[in-house]
Amino acid sequence: MSEVPAYVPPKIWIWNRENGGRFASINRPIAGATHEKELPVGRHPLQLYSLATPNGVKVTVMLEELLGLGIDDAEYDAWLIRINQGDQFSSGFVAVNPNSKIPALLDRSGPKPVRIFESGAILLYLAEKFGEFLPIDHDARAQCLSWLFWQVGSAPYLGGGLGHFYAYAPTKIEYAIDRFAMEVKRQLDVLDRHLADNTYLAGSTYSIADMAVWPWYGALVNGQLYEAGEFLQVQDYANVRRWTDLVGARPAVRRGRMVNRVFGEPSSQLHERHDASDFDTNTEDKRSTSD
Ligand SMILES: N[C@@H](CCC(=O)N[C@@H](CS)C(=O)NCC(=O)O)C(=O)O
């Protein structure tokens, strides 16, 4: 068997533009805008700039849940940010999120627009603003926040770690895949043990913690992330699967998943959402026949 030559890092790292694999066109070691372009603004108080990746879905699920409760002030315009085309580096987007990642939210309901970035912070902001999906009871609230922050800290091992090295990296590195597969299976076991005794993550009530965790770990146990279902033997996590089905059956979750979605069945893709009726009239299957 021929030996793979060991990589010896140079003394000083140098940016090799060709070395970014399938993300070479968007990954850069520099922050800030690459081009001048304003973001569009619609008629609603909340302006969301996003894409239906797991981080984006967290927020559209929350907004649809709030609207489902009859909270009209949670009305929003959802604008599509195509991250593979570099939309996150426009001057307008960077002004809302200096970190150039979706999702980003602009709350224009007050005298001065408020910008919020980081999906966990957006969930917490909306929960506090509308007084919903964040338990008031001291213990349940602590549980909710613990699982919310657990998600924010854990998902990079799943996405940037396992997902990247198992599905995207140009070469398969056993060490990296092993390391992150072990960690992701441990995370699934953490969830599985907790959900054995709890209906939802914060206990008996559905909360922003479920909205944060479901798009990542629910998709993983449904075999929808990185085609890694068999590799990780996700069927073994029965309690995570029970909870995944429970959350996934919620009407607001079904709607939230469709917003800013640019893959899958055309009937499941609502590229932009500006009105509740868009779910019935503006999905891609309807648009292509009416265009
Ligand atoms: N910690 C951030 C992560 C956001 C994130 O990684 N967004 C990805 C899509 S899921 C993105 O915009 N990537 C574009 C890029 O890296 O240039 C959050 O939770 O909001």
Side-chain angles (χ1 to χ4, degrees), residues 137-167:
D137 169 77
H138 196 64
D139 183 41
R141 189 181 183 91
Q143 293 311 309
C144 173
L145 293 178
S146 299
W147 287 105
L148 175 68
F149 283 82
W150 176 85
Q151 187 282 319
V152 173
S154 298
Y157 292 97
L158 168 52
L162 179 79
H164 187 84
F165 288 104
Y166 181 70

Side-chain angles (χ1 to χ4, degrees), residues 26-27 53-55 58 83 88-89 100-103 118-120 152 216:
I26 57 169
N27 286 350
T53 66
N55 287 322
K58 295 175 195 173
I83 58 174
Q88 70 276 35
F89 301 114
S100 284
K101 293 190 192 289
I102 66 91
E118 284 292 321
S119 57
V152 173
W216 282 101

Side-chain angles (χ1 to χ4, degrees), residues 48-62 83 97 99 101-104 117-123 148 151-156 158-160 211-217 219 225-226 256 259-260:
L48 177 68
Y49 303 97
S50 196
L51 179 71
T53 66
N55 287 322
V57 164
K58 295 175 195 173
V59 177
T60 46
V61 165
M62 174 62 164
I83 58 174
N97 183 357
N99 197 37
K101 293 190 192 289
I102 66 91
F117 58 93
E118 284 292 321
S119 57
I122 296 173
L123 289 178
L148 175 68
Q151 187 282 319
V152 173
S154 298
L158 168 52
M211 296 180 214
V213 176
W214 185 86
W216 282 101
Y217 295 88
L225 272 191
Y226 315 120
V259 179
N260 296 147

Side-chain angles (χ1 to χ4, degrees), residues 23 138 202 235 273:
F23 302 105
H138 196 64
Q235 75 282 349
R273 186 261 185 225

